[in-house]
Each structure stands twice: as C-alpha cells, then as structure tokens.
C-alpha cells in the first residue's frame, strides 16, 4: 500500500501542524440546519436545527443510528439535497449545488462501469477542463497512492468491494477537494477489509490536506478515525454530544484496546444508550 | 488482505466439497461423462436425421409429394433460383428493406427514447400515444399502407420502421430511466456539467438496455418484412415464396423459407457479436 514515492510527502505533511491549527475561518460552518421531508403521512422533520463547525484540516465523524439524518446532513453539505433551512458555508461560501472543491465518497462506490480504474479517477480533472494527459498523470499518482497499479486498466466489475471503494476515494481526491465528505464508505465491507481501509484512510489523510467529514454508525470506526465525534439522535436528527478524541496520531486500528480509547468509547456508548432508552420510552407511550 | 481472505475461503471449500462428493455419489462421475458425449453426438446428428426422415417420408407415398417435396427437390429448386439470377436480386431487395427500415426505425426509437426518458414533459406528451399505438400488430397496418403508399418502396419501409420503432423506443426509454442515480450524483460531485451528463453517463448507462431492444428489433424487422412483401411488390425473398405458391412450386416455397430463416439467423448472430463489443465493459 505505501510506496517510496509517498514517504517524502508524508514527512512533509506531518511536519506541518495540521489538526490543532485554528485558522481564521472554519472549513465548514453549519448553522441552524433544518431539513423537512414531505411524506405521505405528512411532513417529517429529518434534521432539526443542527449547528456545528469543522476546522480546516480537521477530521470529524458523525455517528448515529440509521435514520437519524446524518447522511442527509452530509448530502446537504455536498449540495445534493437542495431544500433546507439554515445556512451552510464551505470555505466561506454558501452551498446549494455540487462544487468541485467538495469531494464525496458514497456508501456504494458508484464507479462508472464503462471506465477503467484510470479513467474513473481521471474523470473529475477531465470535467474541470484538464487535458487527457494531465488528468492521466493525476490518476496515475493516485493509483500508486492507493496501491492498485496492477489494476489501472481493469474495469470496476473485476475488482473486490474494498478495491472499488479505494478507487472511489481516489476519484474523489483527483479534483484536490478542500473538503472530503464520506458517507459510510466502509459500511458495505466485511470486518477485516474495513479495518484495512480505515488504516489506509488514516495514511492517506496524512498526505492530503483536505478537511474530512465522515458519517458512520460504527462508534469504533468513528473514534479510530476522528479528531472529534458528533453523536446524533434520531427522529428528529439533532446533535446530542460532541466528543473530542485526543488519542495520539499516527493511529491505527490497534488502538482499539488502549484504556484511553475504551474510556472514550464508554462515554459515547452512555450517550447513545440514554438516547436509545429515551426514544424507546417515547415510542412506547405514544 | 482481501487476497488473504480469499485464500482462506479457497482452502475451506474444496475440502467440504470433497467430503460431500466422496460420501454420497462415488459411482456417478464416469456415467455423467458418457452422457455428455452422447449429448454432443445427438446434437451433431439432429439436423441430418431430420433431413433423412423428411426425405424418406416424402418419398414413401404416405404424403402428396407435390405438396410435401423431399429436401433433394427443395435443394434443386434453390439451385435453379440461384442460377436464374433472381436469387441475388430477391435477397438484395429484402436485405435493403430490412436494413433501411431497421436503421431508420432504430434511430428514431433511440432519439425519442432519450427524449421521453430524460424529459418528463416530453414523456407526458408522447408516452400515452406510443403506448396506445405500440400493441397494434404492424401487420394490421398493411391495408392502410397500401392505400397510402400503393406498392411503392416507401410503404415497405414504413411497415418495417413502424415495427422496429416501438421496441427500440421502449427499451431506450426504460434504459434511460434505469440509469443508476448514484452514478449521476457521483458525476455531479466530480464536476460533470449537467449538459454533459447525457453523453458522459446516461447514454452509456442506458446502452445495455438499448442493445437488447435493438436485438429484439432485428427479428421484428424480419416479421414486418414478411407482411410488407406479401402486401405486393416486384422482388424479394417473401415475394418469391408467394409467386412460387401461386404456381404450386412447393419446393421453391420451402427453399424460400429456408433462405429467409438462414438470413434472419445470420443477422441475429452478427448482431449478438456486435452487441458484445458495444457493451465493452461487461
């Protein structure tokens, strides 16, 4: 997975203070975001007055049960979910339509089946007006970074689920987005592949400068990856608690047995259990 | 890591498979091999056996040989047809009608399928009309086509185009609508302009459906060719069959049927080969 070519970049990136820098302006500012869906049983409040900031270079995970609106929040930041109330600023400017400085990785890889790995990754740069040669060079760099050189000319249907998702990540990075949004990208993978992918992502993250917002329902995944975890509740979606993850970096999935890690996990679980109980009692009485 | 996981799985399954086959059917294997060889042999003999049986039946006196001529007589009639030079012109005329009608009908079908699949307003305008016209068998249009076009080539073309159009339109329409919305979202996030979405994503996403529609349309174009040529013309394979029927040249009639079957079969196979290359990523 790691090559000689990348180690220099890695050293460069880690020598810069990446996480704790508080720049004058957060990369993402979400204020009073509410999203209401029209269903056949009337209006449903999916997300209720959610506010949070993400600092430049920060890695934030949003955790919550399915249906809590965490994916909807992400899609809204991406500019894919249009009607919403409140304000979302990414890099200082309001969102409302997809922007090339915002990259997105979905739960399914959604690779273009008719394009080879190289052409899939080169798609973004091509669409932004780069020549085929430039786009190809960008793609080749990223292919080396995700360790799929042997599969550069393969078509997606010949790759495993984990490989496909690596290509999807590389494809999202090809436009050098300032903000990378990830919607349960490892949710469809088996446990072993998922652990490897988490380590890969942390490694990759050291080399790119993007701010990352990562949605998952897996608390372990959130704590391993994030600088900060936002815990959401369901029906309507709200942010219950914000937990800073002060575990040292570089991290790997090996921290899963550290005492400090376990303490953090207990905090998260308590919040989630209390909320689950509340939701259960509420649905019981209504 | 994935490779490692695969290796584990591979190590386990053969063992399990070996256990089950070893336990309950040790004696089956050789006989299944014999069956396979028998199947191949029977398959090779299928058509020769049929022809021999046909020849014997025709010559046995059970049936009227004029109405049910043996294959040798049919072959002689086909050779005579070829030697007269009519065969070439008949095949050329029929192929021209099928090809021109297929190309025109498909082009219209794909174009309108994209429009109705992509734009709800166009779909609301045209789909109800197409859905009403589509179930009418194209052959039923022969009388009115004769009224409109007489015995001209335009009438033949109209019938084949009519037959091909609806199938290709429907499959294109469905194909465009079934394009994975996730692909469109992914393309949007990568900066694909909406006006390039058609060529970058939708056409290719719909291509497998379009190809299936086109392949169905190949055989439909032959069905409608039959109707078109029976409606009256001056050359063509089906026209020749009809003339031979009027002269009670049953051998020629059967030869014509065989020729039509062969041409249609080759067209289908060629298209299947072409289709496999069109959807290159499968």
């Amino acid at each position: 997975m790691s090559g000689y070519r990348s180690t220099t970049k890695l050293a460069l990136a880690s020598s810069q203070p990446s996480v704790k820098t508080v720049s004058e302006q957060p990369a993402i500012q979400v204020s009073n975001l509410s999203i209401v869906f029209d269903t056949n049983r009337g209006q449903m409040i999916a997300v209720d007055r959610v506010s949070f900031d993400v600092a430049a270079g920060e890695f934030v995970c949003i955790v919550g049960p399915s249906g809590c609106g965490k994916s909807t929040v992400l899609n809204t930041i991406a500019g894919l979910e249009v009607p919403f109330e409140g304000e979302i600023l990414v890099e200082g400017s309001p969102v409302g339509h997809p922007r090339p400085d915002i990259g997105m990785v979905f739960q399914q890889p959604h690779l273009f089946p008719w394009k080879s790995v190289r052409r899939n990754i080169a798609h973004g740069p091509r669409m932004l007006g780069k020549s085929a040669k430039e786009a190809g060079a960008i793609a080749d760099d990223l292919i080396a970074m995700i360790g799929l050189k042997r599969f550069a000319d393969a078509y997606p249907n010949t790759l495993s689920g984990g490989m496909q998702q690596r290509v999807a990540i590389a494809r999202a990075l090809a436009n050098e987005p300032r903000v990378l949004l990830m919607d349960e990208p490892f949710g469809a993978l088996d446990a072993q592949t998922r652990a490897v992918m988490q380590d890969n992502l942390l490694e990759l993250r050291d080399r790119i400068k993007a701010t990352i917002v990562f949605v998952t329902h897996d608390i372990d995944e959130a704590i391993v990856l994030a600088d900060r975890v936002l815990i959401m509740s369901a029906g309507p979606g709200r942010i219950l608690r914000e937990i800073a993850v002060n575990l040292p970096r570089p991290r790997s999935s090996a921290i899963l047995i550290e005492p400090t890690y376990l303490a953090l996990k207990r905090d998260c679980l308590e919040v989630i259990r209390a909320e689950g109980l509340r939701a259960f009692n509420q649905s019981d009485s209504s | 890591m994935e490779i490692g996981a695969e290796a584990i799985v591979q190590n386990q399954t053969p063992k399990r498979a070996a256990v089950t086959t070893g336990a309950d059917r040790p004696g089956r294997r050789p006989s299944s091999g014999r069956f396979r060889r028998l199947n191949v042999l029977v398959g090779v003999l299928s058509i020769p056996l049929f022809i021999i049986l046909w020849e014997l039946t025709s010559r046995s006196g059970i049936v009227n040989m004029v109405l049910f001529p043996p294959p040798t007589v049919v072959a002689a009639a086909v050779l005579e047809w070829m030697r007269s030079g009519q065969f070439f012109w008949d095949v050329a005329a029929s192929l021209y009608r099928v090809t021109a009608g297929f190309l025109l009908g498909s082009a219209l079908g794909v174009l309108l399928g994209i429009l109705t699949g992509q734009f709800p307003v166009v779909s609301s305008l045209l789909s109800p009309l197409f859905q009403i016209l589509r179930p009418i068998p194209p052959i039923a249009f022969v009388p009115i086509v004769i009224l409109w076009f007489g015995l001209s080539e335009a009438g033949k073309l109209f019938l084949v185009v009519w037959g091909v159009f609806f199938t290709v339109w429907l499959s294109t329409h469905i194909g465009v609508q079934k394009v994975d919305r996730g692909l469109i979202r992914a393309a949007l996030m990568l900066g694909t302009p909406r006006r390039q979405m058609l060529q970058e994503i939708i056409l290719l996403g719909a291509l497998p459906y379009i190809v299936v529609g086109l392949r169905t349309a190949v055989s439909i174009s032959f069905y409608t060719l039959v109707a078109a040529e029976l409606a009256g013309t001056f050359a063509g394979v089906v026209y020749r069959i009809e003339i031979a029927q009027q002269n009670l040249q049953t051998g020629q009639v059967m030869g014509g049927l065989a020729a039509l079957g062969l041409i249609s079969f080759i067209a289908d196979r060629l298209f299947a080969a072409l289709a496999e290359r069109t959807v290159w990523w499968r």
Side-chain angles (χ1 to χ4, degrees):
Chain A
M1 179 69 208
S2 61
Y4 290 114
R5 179 206 287 258
S6 49
T7 42
T8 48
K9 277 189 197 163
L10 189 137
L12 256 173
S14 55
S15 68
Q16 290 167 344
S18 55
V19 181
K20 289 283 150 51
T21 341
V22 182
S23 58
E24 62 285 354
Q25 173 197 303
I28 303 171
Q29 290 166 280
V30 177
S31 8
N32 278 316
L33 172 67
S34 293
I35 298 164
V36 179
F37 289 134
D38 285 319
T39 65
N40 42 17
R41 276 181 298 167
Q43 289 199 322
M44 202 261 292
I45 302 169
V47 176
D48 188 19
R49 285 162 294 165
V50 162
S51 299
F52 63 93
D53 284 359
V54 182
E58 197 182 13
F59 195 140
V60 167
C61 279
I62 303 178
V63 192
S66 30
C68 73
K70 55 193 193 296
S71 292
T72 312
V73 170
L74 206 68
N75 284 335
T76 315
I77 300 172
L80 287 170
E81 212 88 39
V82 180
F84 64 88
E85 285 167 45
E87 191 182 40
I88 302 176
L89 300 176
V90 172
E91 299 286 322
S93 54
V95 297
H97 52 85
R99 285 162 36 176
D101 62 334
I102 305 174
M104 178 102 173
V105 179
F106 302 88
Q107 179 167 10
Q108 300 300 321
H110 291 318
L111 298 177
F112 308 126
W114 48 84
K115 290 191 179 203
S116 66
V117 166
R118 181 184 283 114
R119 282 174 178 272
N120 258 286
I121 300 174
H123 179 87
R126 287 291 283 152
M127 288 299 113
L128 297 188
K130 293 233 166 44
S131 73
K133 209 177 162 190
E134 283 175 288
I138 292 170
D140 285 335
D141 279 352
L142 283 161
I143 289 168
M145 213 191 264
I146 58 169
L148 287 181
K149 267 185 176 168
R150 264 189 332 120
F151 297 92
D153 295 312
Y155 285 93
N157 66 351
T158 62
L159 305 180
S160 71
M163 289 175 176
Q164 289 190 22
Q165 203 53 288
R166 261 140 80 187
V167 177
I169 294 170
R171 185 177 65 171
L173 292 176
N175 282 343
E176 294 184 36
R178 305 292 300 268
V179 168
L180 182 63
L181 307 173
M182 307 184 85
D183 187 6
E184 297 195 45
F186 310 145
L189 303 176
D190 62 82
Q192 289 127 307
T193 311
R194 177 188 270 241
V196 174
M197 294 291 288
Q198 289 166 0
D199 290 350
N200 286 170
L201 179 62
L202 287 176
E203 215 179 298
L204 208 62
R205 189 249 175 163
D206 286 336
R207 288 181 232 160
I208 56 171
K209 286 167 220 122
T211 306
I212 301 179
V213 181
F214 187 110
V215 160
T216 177
H217 58 255
D218 180 345
I219 301 163
D220 287 322
E221 183 167 71
I223 300 174
V224 167
L225 296 173
D227 298 317
R228 196 153 49 100
V229 178
L230 305 177
I231 301 176
M232 276 186 79
S233 67
R238 284 202 187 100
I239 291 180
L240 280 181
R241 182 80 70 86
E242 199 185 301
I243 292 175
V245 182
N246 292 316
L247 295 168
R249 291 187 188 270
R251 290 180 206 161
S252 73
S253 41
I255 62 160
L256 286 171
I257 47 166
E258 297 282 328
T260 38
Y261 168 82
L262 291 171
L264 275 170
K265 186 174 176 181
R266 192 174 52 220
D267 285 356
C268 292
L269 283 173
E270 261 164 27
V271 175
I272 289 167
R273 190 177 307 119
E275 169 60 18
L277 226 66
R278 190 193 62 82
F280 184 81
N281 290 334
Q282 202 175 40
S283 69
D284 214 31
S285 61
S286 66
Chain B
M1 196 246 68
E2 291 117 355
I3 294 163
E6 272 163 25
I8 294 166
V9 173
Q10 274 173 355
N11 279 345
Q12 283 175 349
T13 34
K15 253 185 245 163
R16 220 176 290 151
V19 169
T20 43
T21 45
D24 70 355
R25 37 176 177 170
R28 281 244 186 117
R29 283 202 161 267
S31 72
S32 85
R34 210 179 301 154
F35 264 122
R36 210 172 305 133
R37 250 171 287 146
L38 187 68
N39 280 342
V40 172
L41 189 70
V42 171
V44 169
L45 287 178
S46 160
I47 291 172
L49 270 176
F50 171 73
I51 287 176
I52 291 167
L53 195 68
W54 175 8
E55 182 80 33
L56 290 178
T57 314
S58 291
R59 295 196 182 275
S60 65
I62 310 170
V63 292
N64 184 340
M65 225 176 96
V66 175
L67 295 180
F68 196 73
T72 42
V73 173
V74 173
V78 171
L79 278 176
E80 179 50 38
W81 186 17
M82 286 176 169
R83 210 170 294 145
S84 71
Q86 277 175 334
F87 179 80
F88 175 79
W89 291 111
D90 285 335
V91 169
S94 292
L95 276 183
Y96 164 75
R97 288 173 192 134
V98 164
T99 315
F102 176 80
L103 290 178
L104 193 60
S106 308
L108 283 173
V110 170
L111 189 72
L112 282 159
I114 290 169
L115 289 175
T116 58
Q118 185 73 316
F119 304 106
V121 183
V122 184
S123 181
S124 303
L125 180 71
L126 296 178
S127 295
L129 178 70
F130 288 171
Q131 294 293 13
I132 285 177
L133 293 176
R134 196 172 63 89
I136 306 174
I139 300 171
F141 283 86
V142 168
I144 200 152
V145 163
I146 292 175
L147 285 180
W148 286 347
F149 299 98
L151 299 184
S152 70
E153 281 303 308
K156 316 282 172 290
L157 200 63
F158 176 88
L159 280 172
V160 180
V161 168
W162 190 269
V164 167
F165 169 77
F166 290 106
T167 304
V168 177
W169 164 71
L170 189 65
S171 59
T172 308
H173 177 84
I174 292 173
V176 167
Q177 298 219 308
K178 288 234 170 158
V179 172
D180 185 357
R181 281 190 45 78
L183 290 182
I184 297 173
R185 286 158 83 89
L188 279 174
M189 288 313 296
L190 293 167
T192 314
R194 282 197 185 269
R195 69 199 130 75
Q196 278 190 46
M197 206 55 85
L198 184 70
Q199 70 195 67
E200 287 290 335
I201 309 297
I202 291 164
L203 273 185
L204 288 160
L207 195 58
Y209 288 87
I210 298 176
V211 166
V212 169
L214 289 175
R215 188 166 173 195
T216 317
V218 170
S219 41
I220 289 179
S221 62
F222 277 93
Y223 299 154
T224 41
L225 173 80
V226 174
E229 291 194 359
L230 285 180
T233 177
F234 309 102
V237 175
V238 182
Y239 164 78
R240 197 60 57 198
I241 292 174
E242 201 194 6
I243 296 294
Q245 178 242 334
Q246 284 165 12
N247 297 334
L248 211 66
Q249 295 165 315
T250 324
Q252 168 85 67
V253 171
M254 289 181 163
L257 288 176
L260 194 65
L262 193 67
I263 295 169
S264 172
F265 174 79
I266 292 171
D268 183 64
R269 281 303 146 107
L270 279 179
F271 197 87
L274 196 73
E276 216 155 276
R277 280 158 197 242
T278 312
V279 187
W280 68 88
W281 61 90
R282 287 265 163 104

